[in-house]
Protein backbone atom coordinates (compact mmCIF):
# COMPACT_ATOMS: atom_id res chain seq x y z
CA UNK A 1 0.00 0.00 0.00
CA UNK A 2 2.85 2.45 0.72
CA UNK A 3 3.25 5.90 2.24
CA UNK A 4 0.91 7.54 -0.27
CA UNK A 5 -2.10 5.84 1.24
CA UNK A 6 -4.27 7.89 3.54
CA UNK A 7 -7.26 7.00 5.73
CA UNK A 8 -9.82 9.77 5.80
CA UNK A 9 -11.58 10.23 9.15
CA UNK A 10 -12.75 13.81 8.89
CA UNK A 11 -16.01 15.15 7.55
CA UNK A 12 -15.63 16.60 4.10
CA UNK A 13 -18.34 18.68 2.42
CA UNK A 14 -20.85 17.35 4.94
CA UNK A 15 -20.19 13.69 4.11
CA UNK A 16 -18.63 11.37 6.67
CA UNK A 17 -15.92 9.49 4.82
CA UNK A 18 -14.66 7.52 7.81
CA UNK A 19 -12.98 4.23 7.00
CA UNK A 20 -12.62 5.05 3.29
CA UNK A 21 -9.18 4.02 2.13
CA UNK A 22 -7.86 5.97 -0.86
CA UNK A 23 -4.54 6.63 -2.56
CA UNK A 24 -4.07 10.40 -2.84
CA UNK A 25 -3.46 10.08 -6.57
CA UNK A 26 -6.60 7.98 -7.04
CA UNK A 27 -8.60 10.42 -4.94
CA UNK A 28 -7.51 13.32 -7.11
CA UNK A 29 -8.21 11.47 -10.34
CA UNK A 30 -11.63 10.34 -9.13
CA UNK A 31 -12.60 13.92 -8.33
CA UNK A 32 -11.58 15.14 -11.77
CA UNK A 33 -13.22 12.30 -13.67
CA UNK A 34 -16.58 11.91 -11.96
CA UNK A 35 -16.87 12.68 -8.26
CA UNK A 36 -17.17 16.44 -8.75
CA UNK A 37 -20.47 15.74 -10.55
CA UNK A 38 -21.91 13.40 -7.93
CA UNK A 39 -20.56 14.85 -4.68
CA UNK A 40 -23.53 17.12 -4.00
CA UNK A 41 -25.93 14.25 -4.63
CA UNK A 42 -24.25 12.10 -2.00
CA UNK A 43 -24.19 15.06 0.35
CA UNK A 44 -27.99 15.32 0.12
CA UNK A 45 -28.45 11.58 0.60
CA UNK A 46 -26.05 11.08 3.52
CA UNK A 47 -26.07 8.83 5.57
CA UNK A 48 -27.96 6.70 3.05
CA UNK A 49 -25.82 4.94 0.46
CA UNK A 50 -26.84 4.14 -3.09
CA UNK A 51 -26.20 0.65 -4.46
CA UNK A 52 -22.96 0.44 -6.44
CA UNK A 53 -24.86 -0.36 -9.65
CA UNK A 54 -26.92 2.81 -9.30
CA UNK A 55 -23.81 4.85 -8.63
CA UNK A 56 -21.99 3.43 -11.67
CA UNK A 57 -24.84 4.16 -14.09
CA UNK A 58 -25.35 7.57 -12.54
CA UNK A 59 -21.67 8.43 -13.06
CA UNK A 60 -21.95 7.54 -16.75
CA UNK A 61 -25.07 9.69 -17.20
CA UNK A 62 -23.61 12.63 -15.28
CA UNK A 63 -20.39 12.54 -17.28
CA UNK A 64 -22.36 12.30 -20.52
CA UNK A 65 -24.41 15.33 -19.51
CA UNK A 66 -21.24 17.27 -18.63
CA UNK A 67 -19.66 16.23 -21.97
CA UNK A 68 -16.69 14.73 -20.15
CA UNK A 69 -17.33 11.15 -21.22
CA UNK A 70 -15.40 10.14 -24.36
CA UNK A 71 -17.75 9.28 -27.19
CA UNK A 72 -16.10 5.92 -27.60
CA UNK A 73 -16.87 5.04 -23.98
CA UNK A 74 -20.49 6.08 -24.44
CA UNK A 75 -20.83 3.91 -27.54
CA UNK A 76 -19.25 0.98 -25.70
CA UNK A 77 -21.84 1.46 -22.95
CA UNK A 78 -24.71 1.51 -25.47
CA UNK A 79 -23.35 -1.60 -27.19
CA UNK A 80 -23.38 -3.70 -24.02
CA UNK A 81 -25.50 -6.83 -24.38
CA UNK A 82 -28.99 -6.36 -22.97
CA UNK A 83 -30.40 -8.95 -20.55
CA UNK A 84 -33.81 -7.35 -20.21
CA UNK A 85 -35.90 -10.43 -20.95
CA UNK A 86 -33.66 -12.69 -18.85
CA UNK A 87 -34.08 -10.41 -15.85
CA UNK A 88 -37.84 -10.10 -16.35
CA UNK A 89 -38.18 -13.89 -16.49
CA UNK A 90 -35.89 -14.55 -13.52
CA UNK A 91 -38.00 -15.87 -10.63
CA UNK A 92 -35.26 -15.35 -7.99
CA UNK A 93 -36.27 -13.19 -5.04
CA UNK A 94 -34.44 -11.19 -2.42
CA UNK A 95 -34.99 -11.25 1.34
CA UNK A 96 -37.85 -8.73 1.06
CA UNK A 97 -39.75 -10.95 -1.35
CA UNK A 98 -39.10 -8.75 -4.37
CA UNK A 99 -38.31 -10.23 -7.77
CA UNK A 100 -35.03 -9.29 -9.44
CA UNK A 101 -36.89 -7.25 -12.09
CA UNK A 102 -38.57 -5.16 -9.39
CA UNK A 103 -35.19 -4.40 -7.83
CA UNK A 104 -33.87 -3.32 -11.24
CA UNK A 105 -36.88 -1.03 -11.69
CA UNK A 106 -36.27 0.60 -8.31
CA UNK A 107 -32.58 1.11 -9.04
CA UNK A 108 -33.49 2.66 -12.39
CA UNK A 109 -35.91 5.02 -10.66
CA UNK A 110 -33.22 5.99 -8.16
CA UNK A 111 -30.73 6.65 -10.95
CA UNK A 112 -33.11 9.00 -12.76
CA UNK A 113 -34.30 10.68 -9.57
CA UNK A 114 -30.90 11.48 -8.09
CA UNK A 115 -28.91 12.18 -11.25
CA UNK A 116 -31.65 14.50 -12.61
CA UNK A 117 -30.23 13.87 -16.05
CA UNK A 118 -33.71 13.55 -17.52
CA UNK A 119 -37.11 14.29 -16.08
CA UNK A 120 -38.79 11.14 -14.71
CA UNK A 121 -41.96 10.23 -16.56
CA UNK A 122 -45.31 9.74 -14.85
CA UNK A 123 -44.49 6.05 -14.49
CA UNK A 124 -41.19 6.69 -12.71
CA UNK A 125 -42.25 8.91 -9.83
CA UNK A 126 -41.69 6.62 -6.86
CA UNK A 127 -38.32 7.19 -5.23
CA UNK A 128 -36.71 4.60 -3.03
CA UNK A 129 -37.70 6.60 0.05
CA UNK A 130 -41.33 6.79 -1.05
CA UNK A 131 -41.45 3.05 -1.65
CA UNK A 132 -40.02 2.31 1.79
CA UNK A 133 -42.41 4.75 3.45
CA UNK A 134 -45.35 3.21 1.60
CA UNK A 135 -44.37 -0.30 2.66
CA UNK A 136 -43.69 0.72 6.26
CA UNK A 137 -47.07 2.43 6.66
CA UNK A 138 -48.85 -0.47 4.99
CA UNK A 139 -47.28 -2.96 7.38
CA UNK A 140 -48.02 -0.70 10.36
CA UNK A 141 -51.72 -0.77 9.53
CA UNK A 142 -51.51 -4.51 8.94
CA UNK A 143 -49.90 -5.07 12.36
CA UNK A 144 -52.50 -2.92 14.13
CA UNK A 145 -55.30 -4.82 12.37
CA UNK A 146 -54.14 -8.14 13.82
CA UNK A 147 -55.43 -7.11 17.26
CA UNK A 148 -58.63 -5.49 16.02
CA UNK A 149 -62.16 -6.85 15.77
CA UNK A 150 -63.18 -8.29 12.37
CA UNK A 151 -65.04 -5.11 11.41
CA UNK A 152 -62.22 -2.82 12.54
CA UNK A 153 -59.76 -5.11 10.83
CA UNK A 154 -61.40 -4.64 7.44
CA UNK A 155 -61.28 -0.87 7.90
CA UNK A 156 -57.56 -0.85 8.75
CA UNK A 157 -56.69 -3.26 5.98
CA UNK A 158 -58.80 -1.18 3.61
CA UNK A 159 -56.65 1.84 4.46
CA UNK A 160 -53.51 -0.19 3.81
CA UNK A 161 -54.86 -1.41 0.47
CA UNK A 162 -55.75 2.17 -0.41
CA UNK A 163 -52.12 3.23 -0.03
CA UNK A 164 -51.02 0.83 -2.76
CA UNK A 165 -54.06 1.50 -4.92
CA UNK A 166 -53.00 5.16 -5.27
CA UNK A 167 -49.76 4.02 -6.96
CA UNK A 168 -51.04 0.86 -8.64
CA UNK A 169 -49.67 1.90 -12.04
CA UNK A 170 -46.16 2.01 -10.56
CA UNK A 171 -46.35 -0.63 -7.82
CA UNK A 172 -47.03 -4.21 -8.98
CA UNK A 173 -49.74 -6.26 -7.31
CA UNK A 174 -47.27 -8.96 -6.32
CA UNK A 175 -44.73 -6.73 -4.58
CA UNK A 176 -44.46 -7.18 -0.83
CA UNK A 177 -46.36 -6.34 1.34
CA UNK A 178 -49.41 -5.84 -0.90
CA UNK A 179 -50.11 -9.61 -1.32
CA UNK A 180 -49.78 -10.17 2.43
CA UNK A 181 -52.29 -7.42 3.16
CA UNK A 182 -54.66 -8.65 0.43
CA UNK A 183 -54.64 -12.16 1.91
CA UNK A 184 -55.51 -10.71 5.31
CA UNK A 185 -58.40 -8.86 3.66
CA UNK A 186 -59.69 -12.13 2.20
CA UNK A 187 -59.65 -13.83 5.61
CA UNK A 188 -61.32 -10.84 7.29
CA UNK A 189 -64.08 -10.70 4.68
CA UNK A 190 -64.67 -14.44 5.05
CA UNK A 191 -65.03 -14.01 8.82
CA UNK A 192 -67.69 -11.37 8.22
CA UNK A 193 -69.29 -13.52 5.50
CA UNK A 194 -68.77 -10.78 2.94
CA UNK A 195 -68.44 -13.34 0.16
CA UNK A 196 -68.51 -10.94 -2.78
CA UNK A 197 -65.52 -8.95 -1.51
CA UNK A 198 -63.68 -12.11 -0.46
CA UNK A 199 -64.20 -13.60 -3.92
CA UNK A 200 -62.98 -10.47 -5.71
CA UNK A 201 -59.70 -10.37 -3.80
CA UNK A 202 -59.21 -14.15 -3.98
CA UNK A 203 -59.70 -14.12 -7.76
CA UNK A 204 -57.30 -11.20 -8.12
CA UNK A 205 -54.75 -13.18 -6.16
CA UNK A 206 -55.37 -16.39 -8.11
CA UNK A 207 -54.92 -14.85 -11.56
CA UNK A 208 -52.44 -12.03 -11.10
CA UNK A 209 -50.40 -12.59 -7.94
CA UNK A 210 -49.89 -16.25 -7.05
CA UNK A 211 -48.55 -17.32 -10.48
CA UNK A 212 -45.82 -14.69 -10.06
CA UNK A 213 -45.02 -15.36 -6.40
CA UNK A 214 -45.35 -19.16 -6.67
CA UNK A 215 -44.59 -20.16 -10.27
CA UNK A 216 -44.48 -23.88 -9.41
CA UNK A 217 -48.06 -25.09 -9.74
CA UNK A 218 -47.83 -27.52 -6.81
CA UNK A 219 -46.33 -24.94 -4.44
CA UNK A 220 -48.03 -25.52 -1.04
CA UNK A 221 -48.90 -21.86 -0.50
CA UNK A 222 -50.36 -21.54 -3.98
CA UNK A 223 -52.44 -24.69 -3.44
CA UNK A 224 -53.69 -23.44 -0.06
CA UNK A 225 -54.74 -20.10 -1.56
CA UNK A 226 -56.58 -21.91 -4.36
CA UNK A 227 -58.30 -24.12 -1.77
CA UNK A 228 -59.40 -20.96 0.03
CA UNK A 229 -60.87 -19.69 -3.24
CA UNK A 230 -62.77 -22.96 -3.60
CA UNK A 231 -64.29 -22.55 -0.14
CA UNK A 232 -65.42 -19.03 -1.00
CA UNK A 233 -67.03 -20.26 -4.21
CA UNK A 234 -68.86 -23.05 -2.39
CA UNK A 235 -70.30 -20.50 0.06
CA UNK A 236 -71.36 -18.26 -2.82
CA UNK A 237 -73.05 -21.09 -4.71
CA UNK A 238 -74.93 -22.10 -1.55
CA UNK A 239 -75.96 -18.54 -0.64
CA UNK A 240 -77.08 -17.75 -4.18
CA UNK A 241 -79.24 -20.86 -4.22
CA UNK A 242 -80.87 -19.75 -0.98
CA UNK A 243 -81.53 -16.16 -2.08
CA UNK A 244 -83.13 -14.74 -5.20
CA UNK A 245 -82.34 -11.13 -4.25
CA UNK A 246 -80.76 -9.73 -7.43
CA UNK A 247 -80.06 -6.48 -5.63
CA UNK A 248 -77.68 -8.08 -3.14
CA UNK A 249 -73.89 -8.04 -3.47
CA UNK A 250 -73.93 -11.61 -4.73
CA UNK A 251 -76.57 -10.61 -7.25
CA UNK A 252 -73.86 -8.51 -8.92
CA UNK A 253 -72.15 -11.74 -9.93
CA UNK A 254 -75.03 -12.63 -12.27
CA UNK A 255 -73.54 -10.47 -15.01
CA UNK A 256 -70.60 -12.90 -15.30
CA UNK A 257 -72.89 -15.93 -15.74
CA UNK A 258 -70.44 -18.23 -13.95
CA UNK A 259 -71.10 -21.96 -13.84
CA UNK A 260 -70.10 -22.47 -10.22
CA UNK A 261 -70.01 -26.30 -10.19
CA UNK A 262 -67.64 -26.31 -13.16
CA UNK A 263 -65.39 -23.65 -11.63
CA UNK A 264 -65.30 -25.38 -8.26
CA UNK A 265 -64.56 -28.77 -9.85
CA UNK A 266 -61.69 -27.38 -11.94
CA UNK A 267 -60.06 -25.60 -9.01
CA UNK A 268 -60.51 -28.65 -6.80
CA UNK A 269 -58.67 -30.67 -9.45
CA UNK A 270 -55.78 -28.17 -9.38
CA UNK A 271 -55.49 -28.51 -5.62
CA UNK A 272 -55.71 -32.29 -5.81
CA UNK A 273 -52.86 -32.39 -8.34
CA UNK A 274 -50.67 -30.31 -6.00
CA UNK A 275 -51.19 -32.46 -2.91
CA UNK A 276 -48.71 -35.35 -3.59
CA UNK A 277 -45.70 -33.06 -4.18
CA UNK A 278 -46.71 -30.07 -2.10
CA UNK A 279 -48.04 -31.78 1.02
CA UNK A 280 -47.99 -35.56 0.76
CA UNK A 281 -51.00 -37.84 0.47
CA UNK A 282 -51.01 -38.57 4.23
CA UNK A 283 -50.90 -34.92 5.28
CA UNK A 284 -53.52 -33.07 7.28
CA UNK A 285 -54.18 -30.86 4.27
CA UNK A 286 -54.86 -33.94 2.11
CA UNK A 287 -57.40 -35.18 4.65
CA UNK A 288 -59.10 -31.79 4.82
CA UNK A 289 -59.30 -31.70 1.02
CA UNK A 290 -60.83 -35.21 0.86
CA UNK A 291 -63.40 -34.26 3.47
CA UNK A 292 -64.49 -31.20 1.50
CA UNK A 293 -64.50 -33.18 -1.73
CA UNK A 294 -66.86 -35.78 -0.25
CA UNK A 295 -69.10 -33.06 1.19
CA UNK A 296 -69.41 -31.24 -2.12
CA UNK A 297 -70.11 -34.45 -3.98
CA UNK A 298 -68.56 -33.42 -7.29
CA UNK A 299 -68.24 -35.83 -10.17
CA UNK A 300 -64.88 -36.40 -11.83
CA UNK A 301 -64.20 -35.29 -15.38
CA UNK A 302 -67.53 -33.79 -16.43
CA UNK A 303 -66.30 -30.20 -16.07
CA UNK A 304 -63.17 -30.44 -18.24
CA UNK A 305 -64.61 -29.33 -21.56
CA UNK A 306 -66.29 -26.29 -19.96
CA UNK A 307 -63.41 -25.01 -17.82
CA UNK A 308 -61.71 -22.81 -20.42
CA UNK A 309 -64.83 -20.71 -20.92
CA UNK A 310 -65.53 -20.45 -17.19
CA UNK A 311 -61.93 -19.53 -16.49
CA UNK A 312 -62.19 -16.52 -18.80
CA UNK A 313 -65.36 -15.41 -17.00
CA UNK A 314 -63.60 -15.63 -13.64
CA UNK A 315 -60.59 -13.73 -14.96
CA UNK A 316 -62.83 -10.93 -16.15
CA UNK A 317 -64.44 -10.84 -12.70
CA UNK A 318 -60.97 -10.67 -11.14
CA UNK A 319 -60.20 -7.59 -13.21
CA UNK A 320 -63.45 -5.79 -12.43
CA UNK A 321 -64.67 -6.73 -8.95
CA UNK A 322 -61.96 -5.16 -6.73
CA UNK A 323 -58.75 -3.17 -7.13
Amino acid sequence: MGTQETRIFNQWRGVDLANVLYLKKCQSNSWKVCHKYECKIYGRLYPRLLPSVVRTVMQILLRKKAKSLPEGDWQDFLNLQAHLEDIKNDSARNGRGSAKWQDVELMSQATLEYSQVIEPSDLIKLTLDEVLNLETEGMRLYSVSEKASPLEKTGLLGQAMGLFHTVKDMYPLWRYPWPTIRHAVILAQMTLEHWYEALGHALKSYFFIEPVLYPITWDPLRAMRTFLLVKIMIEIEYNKSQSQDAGSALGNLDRYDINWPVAISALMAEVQTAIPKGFGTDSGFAREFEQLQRGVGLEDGGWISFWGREREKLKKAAQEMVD
Side-chain angles (χ1 to χ4, degrees):
M1 295 205 237
T3 57
Q4 287 188 325
E5 291 178 350
T6 179
R7 189 177 296 273
I8 305 172
F9 290 102
N10 62 312
Q11 287 198 348
W12 180 58
R13 296 179 183 266
V15 180
D16 185 2
L17 297 175
N19 299 322
V20 177
L21 192 63
Y22 236 155
L23 287 170
K24 286 184 177 178
K25 182 179 180 181
C26 293
Q27 179 184 347
S28 176
N29 288 341
S30 178
W31 174 261
K32 293 177 182 178
V33 172
C34 62
H35 191 62
K36 61 183 178 181
Y37 306 119
E38 64 184 359
C39 186
K40 290 182 179 180
I41 296 172
Y42 295 137
R44 294 197 308 270
L45 291 174
Y46 178 78
R48 297 165 296 168
L49 299 176
L50 292 177
S52 57
V53 174
V54 174
R55 178 176 177 177
T56 300
V57 176
M58 197 165 69
Q59 286 177 348
I60 294 173
L61 294 176
L62 289 170
R63 290 182 63 195
K64 174 65 175 175
K65 181 180 180 181
K67 299 181 179 180
S68 69
L69 184 70
E71 186 59 29
D73 290 354
W74 177 248
Q75 289 304 320
D76 288 342
F77 175 68
L78 296 180
N79 291 333
L80 288 173
Q81 181 179 354
H83 296 278
L84 185 63
E85 293 305 317
D86 293 338
I87 295 173
K88 281 186 174 181
N89 295 328
D90 194 332
S91 61
R93 299 187 176 278
N94 62 23
R96 294 174 58 80
S98 300
K100 184 180 292 186
W101 173 242
Q102 294 169 319
D103 290 338
V104 171
E105 284 186 309
L106 285 178
M107 287 191 289
S108 301
Q109 292 167 10
T111 303
L112 292 174
E113 177 75 18
Y114 297 129
S115 65
Q116 297 182 345
V117 174
I118 60 176
E119 287 295 323
S121 68
D122 288 340
L123 296 181
I124 309 179
K125 287 182 178 177
L126 289 182
T127 66
L128 288 171
D129 281 345
E130 288 170 330
V131 168
L132 291 175
N133 290 339
L134 184 72
E135 294 174 352
T136 300
E137 177 61 12
M139 285 308 295
R140 185 192 70 80
L141 291 166
Y142 171 79
S143 298
V144 173
S145 75
E146 291 186 306
K147 299 179 181 179
S149 67
L151 192 58
E152 292 172 331
K153 184 190 291 284
T154 56
L156 290 166
L157 293 173
Q159 291 180 48
M161 291 288 287
L163 293 174
F164 299 102
H165 176 65
T166 60
V167 293
K168 64 178 182 179
D169 292 333
M170 297 168 277
Y171 198 99
L173 291 171
W174 55 85
R175 182 177 174 83
Y176 174 87
W178 205 351
T180 301
I181 296 171
R182 188 182 297 276
H183 183 63
V185 169
I186 295 170
L187 296 177
Q189 298 290 8
M190 290 180 69
T191 301
L192 294 172
E193 299 186 358
H194 293 170
W195 302 115
Y196 180 89
E197 293 80 3
L199 176 69
H201 287 291
L203 286 175
K204 184 81 74 176
S205 185
Y206 174 81
F207 283 106
F208 306 117
I209 300 173
E210 287 152 23
V212 178
L213 294 181
Y214 317 114
I216 300 174
T217 55
W218 50 264
D219 185 288
L221 276 176
R222 182 169 176 175
M224 290 175 68
R225 301 289 170 83
T226 302
F227 192 47
L228 199 66
L229 175 58
V230 168
K231 291 181 176 181
I232 294 170
M233 287 185 170
I234 291 172
E235 290 289 345
I236 287 176
E237 185 190 22
Y238 173 78
N239 280 278
K240 282 183 67 62
S241 66
Q242 298 299 309
S243 174
Q244 302 300 320
D245 183 5
S248 67
L250 293 182
N252 293 329
L253 292 171
D254 291 342
R255 67 181 185 273
Y256 299 112
D257 191 29
I258 297 167
N259 187 321
W260 297 103
V262 168
I264 292 169
S265 297
L267 294 174
M268 287 282 281
E270 288 185 10
V271 176
Q272 188 173 37
T273 302
I275 287 176
K277 288 186 177 180
F279 302 90
T281 54
D282 295 330
S283 64
F285 182 80
R287 290 190 292 273
E288 182 183 358
F289 173 83
E290 290 171 3
Q291 183 179 4
L292 182 65
Q293 188 178 42
R294 286 194 300 269
V296 173
L298 299 173
E299 296 182 3
D300 295 333
W303 51 268
I304 295 177
S305 60
F306 301 101
W307 172 227
R309 182 176 59 192
E310 298 308 314
R311 193 177 190 279
E312 289 305 310
K313 295 177 185 177
L314 291 173
K315 190 172 184 179
K316 181 181 180 182
Q319 295 169 324
E320 297 177 351
M321 288 176 65
V322 297
D323 293 319

